[in-house]
């Protein structure tokens, strides 16, 4: 790949990691809302007593899920930060590489010392590019994990709906909460999908 | 492509100017770089911005092994002076750059560190070159607050950084000033606006007039030689510079 093409793709990568970080913020916010919601649901289930035992268990599961999701997003965020640093360094190197290559192009006679430097720098450059790739793969793994977590969330929020049906006089309140759970989880999934798609494209 | 021209030679002692880049992008200012060599020791003054590094390096390669340049001298911190430092260090990690103590922690934003940057104290200092030596002469506030010129007492050449600089039209590519009165018109606006202090200016003129100078070599424009040197010093001494010469406030 020419340096210019590399430069182009690195700036694209930089932009996508910055976007990723913005997307993460959105997911973290929803995870926080799920956490609060689950806490309230646990209290509600406690009040409802025996008829909402199953609902209480599911709410705890959802609360754990929101905590795990938040932790996952934090890890993603620090990966994205690392990626941004690596790519910034890559962009700096690309510019220098381009200028050193231009220098070689302008020389009237070959200068072996410069060739050696260019070769060494290219090596370092490629190592950096490899590191970026590793971070990106790690990010994708984590995103996949987040997606699975959300799928699990969808399943248990459906179970919550079923459990709500056994809630007798608490049935309506529990049904509302389980509806909210479902909505929140459904709101996260597309964000995660977008994050995954954004990462795979680069 | 820039070209290298020897302007002084006495045995191994030599000054070469790298000037006039016809191919440089129009949006970057044209600069002169000077290679001073003596007894196999090579120093480059105001090596220039990173965008023109390829042209400077290639022109230098026609007269010297560019990898043998072991020292740089930066008159001050501007990007057109020293933003190529990172590239020079890529080529030669051992290279040292002499610069005012004011800037040795600013320039690392372009490259380099406390190891590669050698701070010059405010009062100036001798810089050895081969068996001889150069003198870093204070020129603070002209225009930078930490600013030095480089004097070669044996060659009687003063590298004067932005002092004496002229922003010449594209068709003026003479290396030496031919007609002082014509030439100085292209220097006037630059000096009025860029030079910050009349006090600093007069102090410099007084010290410069006591040096023996055959050639005064600025970082932009043509070289003054012979009587034109003193002519320049007198012209500069008379020229009002700094804040009093322009309106900087918007009137409402
Ligand atoms: Fe300057
Ligand atoms: Fe300048």
């Amino acid at each position: 790949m020419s340096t210019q093409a590399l430069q182009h793709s690195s700036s694209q990568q930089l932009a996508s990691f910055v976007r990723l970080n913005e997307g993460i913020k959105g997911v973290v916010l929803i995870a926080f809302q799920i956490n609060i919601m689950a806490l309230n649901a646990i209290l509600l289930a406690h009040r409802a007593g025996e008829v909402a035992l199953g609902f209480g268990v599911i709410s705890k599961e959802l609360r754990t899920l929101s905590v795990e999701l938040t932790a996952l997003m934090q890890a993603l965020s620090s990966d994205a930060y690392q990626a941004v640093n690596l790519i910034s360094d890559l962009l700096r190197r690309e510019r220098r590489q381009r200028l050193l290559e231009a220098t070689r192009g302008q020389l009237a006679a070959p200068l072996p010392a410069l060739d050696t430097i260019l070769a060494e720098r290219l090596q370092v450059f490629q190592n950096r590019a490899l590191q970026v790739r590793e971070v990106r793969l790690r990010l994708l793994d984590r995103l996949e994990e987040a997606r699975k977590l959300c799928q699990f969330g969808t399943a248990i929020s459906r179970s919550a709906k079923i459990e709500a049906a056994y809630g007798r006089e608490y049935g309506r309140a529990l049904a509302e909460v389980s509806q909210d759970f479902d909505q929140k989880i459904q709101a996260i999934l597309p964000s995660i999908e977008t994050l995954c798609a954004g990462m795979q494209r680069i | 492509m820039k070209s290298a021209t020897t302007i002084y030679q006495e045995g191994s002692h030599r000054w070469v100017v790298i000037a006039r880049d016809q191919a440089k992008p129009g949006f970057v200012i044209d600069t002169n770089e000077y290679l001073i060599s003596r007894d196999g020791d090579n120093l480059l003054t105001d090596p220039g911005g990173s965008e023109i590094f390829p042209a400077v390096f290639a022109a230098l390669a026609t007269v010297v092994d560019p990898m043998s340049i072991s020292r740089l001298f930066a008159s001050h911190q501007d990007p057109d002076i020293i933003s190529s430092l990172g590239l020079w260090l890529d080529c030669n990690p051992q290279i040292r750059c002499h610069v005012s103590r004011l800037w040795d922690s600013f320039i690392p934003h372009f490259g380099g560190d406390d190891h590669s940057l050698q701070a010059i104290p405010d009062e100036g200092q001798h810089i050895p070159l081969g068996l001889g030596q150069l003198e870093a002469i204070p020129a603070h506030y002209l225009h930078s607050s930490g600013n030095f010129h480089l004097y070669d007492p044996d060659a009687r050449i003063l590298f004067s950084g932005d002092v004496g600089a002229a922003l010449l039209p594209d068709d003026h590519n003479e290396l030496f000033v031919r007609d002082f009165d014509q030439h100085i018109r292209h220097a006037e606006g630059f000096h009025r606006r860029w030079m910050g202090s009349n006090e600093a200016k007069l102090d410099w003129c007084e010290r410069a007039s006591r040096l023996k100078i055959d050639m005064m070599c600025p970082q932009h424009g043509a070289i003054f030689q012979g009587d034109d040197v003193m002519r320049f010093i007198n012209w500069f001494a008379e020229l009002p510079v700094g804040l009093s010469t322009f309106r900087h406030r918007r009137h409402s």
Side-chain angles (χ1 to χ4, degrees):
Chain A
M1 213 191 296
S2 74
T3 317
Q4 204 150 23
L6 279 172
Q7 185 132 24
H8 186 59
S9 71
S10 292
S11 2
Q12 267 180 336
Q13 290 205 53
L14 192 61
S16 68
F17 280 113
V18 172
R19 267 201 307 278
L20 178 76
N21 224 0
E22 289 306 305
I24 290 171
K25 283 188 205 162
V27 175
V28 167
L29 183 68
I30 301 178
F32 175 71
Q33 289 164 347
I34 293 178
N35 191 307
I36 299 290
M37 215 182 268
L39 185 63
N40 286 329
I42 291 167
L43 295 174
L44 178 67
H46 205 70
R47 273 205 303 280
E50 204 152 322
V51 295
L53 276 181
F55 194 91
V57 172
I58 291 168
S59 299
K60 277 182 194 147
E61 282 293 328
L62 275 170
R63 195 155 184 238
T64 311
L65 180 141
S66 77
V67 171
E68 277 174 24
L69 196 59
T70 305
L72 208 51
M73 289 296 135
Q74 266 155 6
L76 267 174
S77 182
S78 88
D79 282 344
Y81 177 75
Q82 196 193 346
V84 167
N85 274 339
L86 280 169
I87 296 173
S88 306
D89 180 56
L90 212 58
L91 277 168
R92 256 196 312 275
R93 285 175 182 279
E94 272 168 11
R95 177 159 188 259
R96 285 208 197 159
Q97 195 78 9
R98 174 177 65 77
L99 287 163
L100 288 172
E101 273 162 16
T103 306
R104 174 160 64 184
Q106 288 197 16
L107 289 175
L111 190 64
L114 187 63
D115 295 338
T116 312
I117 290 158
L118 269 163
E120 281 168 6
R121 290 189 53 88
L122 196 64
Q123 189 63 49
V124 177
F125 182 82
Q126 282 163 347
N127 284 342
R128 282 285 191 290
L130 220 58
Q131 278 176 288
V132 173
R133 204 181 114 81
E134 276 165 20
V135 176
R136 200 165 69 82
L137 291 177
R138 197 162 67 219
L139 268 165
L140 278 170
D141 280 350
R142 290 206 213 271
L143 281 171
E144 187 50 40
E145 217 178 307
R147 181 160 48 191
K148 285 202 182 115
L149 215 51
C150 286
Q151 276 160 356
F152 176 59
T154 308
I156 52 178
S157 73
R158 298 257 152 87
S159 305
K161 276 186 188 166
I162 297 167
E163 284 296 324
Y166 299 102
R168 291 193 204 145
E169 70 266 38
Y170 286 96
R172 253 191 78 176
L174 292 175
E176 265 170 32
V177 175
S178 61
Q179 185 64 34
D180 286 348
F181 274 145
D182 198 38
Q183 270 174 10
K184 289 291 172 199
I185 299 281
Q186 295 311 318
I188 291 190
L189 263 171
S191 311
I192 304 269
E193 300 288 352
T194 317
L195 293 181
C196 281
M199 278 295 103
Q200 265 149 359
R201 259 202 311 279
I202 51 173
Chain B
M1 174 82 188
K2 276 178 168 273
S3 55
T5 312
T6 301
I7 54 171
Y8 170 90
Q9 176 125 37
E10 189 68 56
S12 79
H13 188 185
R14 169 170 79 151
W15 277 66
V16 175
V17 59
I18 310 293
R20 295 294 168 275
D21 187 1
Q22 304 292 1
K24 81 165 172 55
F27 51 84
V28 293
I29 190 167
D30 207 0
T31 52
N32 303 325
E33 292 73 33
Y34 300 90
L35 171 73
I36 315 172
S37 308
R38 199 166 181 176
D39 309 311
D41 206 358
N42 297 307
L43 177 147
L44 184 66
T45 67
D46 287 2
S50 45
E51 283 302 320
I52 60 147
F53 175 84
V56 172
F57 193 93
L60 280 166
T62 63
V63 290
V64 72
D65 172 5
M67 303 296 184
S68 72
I69 296 172
S70 58
R71 264 155 335 134
L72 305 173
F73 170 84
S75 61
H76 58 292
Q77 83 293 5
D78 272 345
D80 67 322
I81 305 284
I82 192 62
S83 64
S84 62
L85 179 61
L87 288 158
W88 280 103
L89 280 162
D90 284 343
C91 290
N92 178 5
Q94 296 311 314
I95 210 162
R96 296 284 171 274
C97 176
H98 298 273
V99 68
S100 159
R101 68 172 183 89
L102 260 62
W103 306 123
D104 64 345
S105 59
F106 287 65
I107 293 179
H109 287 287
F110 292 142
D113 50 28
D114 49 356
H115 183 62
S116 40
L117 289 161
Q118 311 255 298
I120 308 174
D122 281 347
E123 63 275 21
Q125 66 180 179
H126 293 289
I127 296 176
L129 183 75
L131 299 172
Q133 56 186 4
L134 304 168
E135 291 167 28
I137 307 237
H140 306 307
Y141 301 100
L142 299 173
H143 65 89
S144 166
S145 46
N147 199 57
F148 285 98
H149 295 167
L150 195 61
Y151 180 59
D152 184 337
D154 296 323
R156 295 166 54 129
I157 299 177
L158 177 69
F159 167 66
S160 59
D162 281 333
V163 172
L167 305 177
L168 297 173
D170 283 345
D171 54 338
H172 284 48
N173 39 32
E174 70 265 17
L175 214 48
F176 292 96
V177 173
R178 266 194 303 241
D179 180 334
F180 183 86
D181 295 325
Q182 285 278 333
H183 177 83
I184 211 69
R185 285 191 277 163
H186 302 294
E188 189 176 324
F190 181 86
H191 286 79
R192 270 187 203 278
R193 183 63 180 88
W194 256 267
M195 301 302 157
S197 156
N198 278 305
E199 193 187 351
K201 181 199 72 173
L202 289 173
D203 176 68
W204 179 86
C205 288
E206 195 264 319
R207 284 181 291 117
S209 65
R210 281 190 276 119
L211 295 174
K212 295 187 171 73
I213 306 171
D214 291 343
M215 269 184 253
M216 190 182 110
C217 301
Q219 191 228 355
H220 313 278
I223 298 168
F224 297 87
Q225 54 180 344
D227 294 340
D228 282 342
V229 175
M230 206 53 219
R231 233 170 249 142
F232 173 81
I233 295 171
N234 288 330
W235 170 85
F236 191 33
E238 295 291 320
L239 185 77
V241 301
L243 196 56
S244 61
T245 66
F246 71 103
R247 287 171 187 273
H248 65 294
R249 289 191 193 92
R250 227 193 296 193
H251 294 279
S252 51

